[in-house]
């Protein structure tokens, strides 16, 4: 009898627990839905008012850097990893967080050159520099794959406990990336923006002018930024950022630019063979012939103002500027050939006239 009563009581408790769990789940779901709607609204408001240029033309960015590339020391950070390129987060002595990309991959050279060029032209971009050696204190063996394996097998706690910050591992010729100062604006956990969303930017509401947006599109084609899935671009709220307040300075920018100067990645002959324009006349641009059939980048006609804006800045770059861009990014092969193709593409843009 007592056993039967215990079973009845257990069923009652189980039922109460189930009801509570369902109620809690509903509350959390409702809260999450409300929060998702809020972030969508905030992102949409930022996108229509977004700028594409952060500064004016800055040729000094391409001045040769003294003591470049220099070694970097940092402390390993346990953060989530994504993508396929080996990478890890690390903390510098002054507390700044950086992302380190390592290994034998052309993405390192491509991202360093692309971000530096965009910064020179006035667009928003992360700062990525080449380090002759990154000394990572506390790094596990193969930090990228160790983190993936530990997460997949629920051994992260063990990995943390066995980390020894007195020991270090060295990574030669690695990229060290510092994010642009500003908070990323996302939509319900979804990162970035797609190129077709640029049509939503509204100059009447404070957003960039059409010709400025066209300048960004044209630079994406110039770089052969074919891997343009949304998470490879981002919307940021430039500092200073007030908590829970409307973003005053939204900016759209390109990021994760390792798959450039190709396709696919840092390929001189492929970059040389890809024309900026679709036709012999007119100003249509497309990435349909590139991997993923252009991804989020639909064919579009560039305005004359947009073409002239970016052409006027590109033609001001001297051969020495361009040479520095490729040398300090450790581009493969004959650097003079890269310089020649770069200037040919600039000339291709500069010689064209678009309809107003």
């Amino acid at each position: 009898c007592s056993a039967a009563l215990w079973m009845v009581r257990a069923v009652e408790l189980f039922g109460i627990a189930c009801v509570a769990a369902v109620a809690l789940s509903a509350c959390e779901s409702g809260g999450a839905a409300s929060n998702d709607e809020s972030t969508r609204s905030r992102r949409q408001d930022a996108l229509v008012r977004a700028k594409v240029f952060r500064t004016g033309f800055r040729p000094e960015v391409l001045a040769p850097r003294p003591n470049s590339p220099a070694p970097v020391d940092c402390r390993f950070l346990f953060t989530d990893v994504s993508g396929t390129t080996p990478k890890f987060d690390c903390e510098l002595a002054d507390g700044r967080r950086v992302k380190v990309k390592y290994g034998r991959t052309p993405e390192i050279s491509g991202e360093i050159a692309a971000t530096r060029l965009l910064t020179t032209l006035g667009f928003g971009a992360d700062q990525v520099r080449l380090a002759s050696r990154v000394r990572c204190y506390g790094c596990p063996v193969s930090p990228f794959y160790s983190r993936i394996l530990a997460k997949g097998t629920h051994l992260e706690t063990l990995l943390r406990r066995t980390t020894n910050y007195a020991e270090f591992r060295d990574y030669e010729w690695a990229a060290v990336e510092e994010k642009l100062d500003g908070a990323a604006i996302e939509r319900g956990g979804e990162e970035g923006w797609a190129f077709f969303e640029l049509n939503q930017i509204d100059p009447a509401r404070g957003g960039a002018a059409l010709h400025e947006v066209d300048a960004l599109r044209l630079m994406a084609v110039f770089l052969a930024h074919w891997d343009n899935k949304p998470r490879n671009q981002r919307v940021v709220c430039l500092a200073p950022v007030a908590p829970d307040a409307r973003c005053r300075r939204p900016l759209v920018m390109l990021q994760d630019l390792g798959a450039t100067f190709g396709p696919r990645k840092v390929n001189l002959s492929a970059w040389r063979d890809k024309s900026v324009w679709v036709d012999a006349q007119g100003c249509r641009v497309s990435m349909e012939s590139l991997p993923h059939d252009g991804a989020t980048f639909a064919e579009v006609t560039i305005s004359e103002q947009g073409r002239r804006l970016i052409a006027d800045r590109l033609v001001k770059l001297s051969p020495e500027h361009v040479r520095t861009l490729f040398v300090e990014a450790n581009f493969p092969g004959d650097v003079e050939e890269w310089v020649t193709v770069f200037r040919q593409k600039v000339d291709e843009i500069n010689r064209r006239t678009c309809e107003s």
Side-chain angles (χ1 to χ4, degrees):
C1 184
S2 61
L5 289 172
W6 181 86
M7 289 181 67
V8 170
R9 183 58 177 159
V11 170
E12 289 176 347
L13 290 173
F14 180 74
I16 293 171
C18 286
V19 171
V22 170
L24 179 60
S25 175
C27 289
E28 289 179 344
S29 176
S34 175
N35 185 59
D36 284 353
E37 185 60 35
S38 175
T39 56
R40 284 195 200 96
S41 176
R42 180 169 177 262
R43 177 188 179 276
Q44 184 61 27
D45 175 66
L47 182 62
V48 298
R49 297 184 296 107
K51 302 292 189 182
V52 299
F53 282 103
R54 181 168 171 259
T55 68
F57 180 55
R58 298 176 59 202
E60 70 276 7
V61 172
L62 285 177
R65 293 169 173 166
N67 304 317
S68 178
V72 172
D73 292 358
C74 62
R75 189 175 187 271
F76 180 71
L77 293 173
F78 283 89
T79 53
D80 288 338
V81 294
S82 61
T84 58
T85 303
K87 64 181 81 68
F88 58 87
D89 286 347
C90 219
E91 185 177 72
L92 303 179
D94 60 7
R96 287 178 296 155
R97 175 181 291 192
V98 297
K99 185 181 296 296
V100 177
K101 293 187 178 181
Y102 65 95
R104 295 181 179 274
T105 169
E107 284 194 27
I108 289 176
S109 294
E111 187 158 24
I112 291 170
T115 53
R116 195 171 179 185
L117 178 60
L118 289 171
T119 300
T120 300
L121 297 173
F123 297 105
D126 298 321
Q127 293 184 35
V128 188
R129 66 184 187 277
L130 185 66
S132 57
R133 182 268 297 154
V134 172
R135 176 159 293 175
C136 174
Y137 288 88
C139 258
V141 176
S142 188
F144 178 68
Y145 297 106
S146 293
R147 293 284 290 118
I148 292 176
L149 181 62
K151 188 172 183 179
T153 55
H154 305 288
L155 294 175
E156 288 187 277
T157 301
L158 177 62
L159 184 61
R160 288 173 184 268
R161 282 207 309 263
T162 56
T163 297
N164 184 354
Y165 284 101
E167 297 180 351
F168 62 82
R169 297 184 188 279
D170 287 344
Y171 300 90
E172 296 184 348
W173 303 108
V176 178
E177 173 191 297
E178 288 187 66
K179 292 291 187 187
L180 182 70
D181 189 15
I185 301 174
E186 299 177 356
R187 171 181 54 194
E190 298 178 22
E191 299 180 55
W193 52 269
F195 268 88
F196 56 77
E197 291 185 286
L198 291 178
N199 293 330
Q200 299 178 37
I201 295 178
D202 186 356
R205 295 180 59 182
L210 172 61
H211 69 280
E212 294 174 324
V213 175
D214 279 346
L216 179 62
R217 290 186 176 114
L218 192 50
M219 272 312 299
V221 172
F222 180 95
L223 292 169
H225 176 47
W226 58 267
D227 192 10
N228 54 67
K229 53 184 172 285
R231 72 181 184 189
N232 284 349
Q233 295 84 234
R234 75 179 189 266
V235 186
V236 296
C237 186
L238 295 177
V241 180
D244 303 321
R246 189 186 191 206
C247 178
R248 296 172 186 166
R249 300 175 61 206
L251 176 82
V252 291
M253 58 178 285
L254 312 185
Q255 66 175 6
D256 287 347
L257 290 158
T260 47
F261 298 99
R264 290 192 171 253
K265 303 171 183 179
V266 187
N267 184 312
L268 179 63
S269 60
W271 194 46
R272 178 194 292 121
D273 294 344
K274 180 67 177 76
S275 175
V276 172
W277 309 108
V278 172
D279 300 323
Q281 294 181 337
C283 290
R284 288 191 301 135
V285 293
S286 171
M287 294 196 196
E288 288 184 5
S289 64
L290 303 184
H292 305 319
D293 301 320
T296 72
F297 193 104
E299 184 175 300
V300 65
T301 298
I302 301 298
S303 63
E304 172 60 13
Q305 280 185 292
R307 181 206 65 81
R308 191 168 61 247
L309 171 59
I310 206 63
D312 287 348
R313 297 188 182 192
L314 284 170
V315 296
K316 292 176 182 175
L317 297 177
S318 68
E320 189 55 39
H321 283 134
V322 182
R323 192 171 295 112
T324 298
L325 178 73
F326 292 126
V327 167
E328 296 194 358
N330 200 30
F331 264 54
D334 186 347
V335 167
E336 293 307 317
E337 290 190 52
W338 284 102
V339 173
T340 298
V341 174
F342 184 102
R343 293 177 66 80
Q344 287 172 348
K345 288 186 175 294
V346 172
D347 191 50
E348 192 178 352
I349 293 173
N350 192 43
R351 286 187 291 106
R352 187 63 56 104
T353 300
C354 305
E355 293 181 7
S356 300

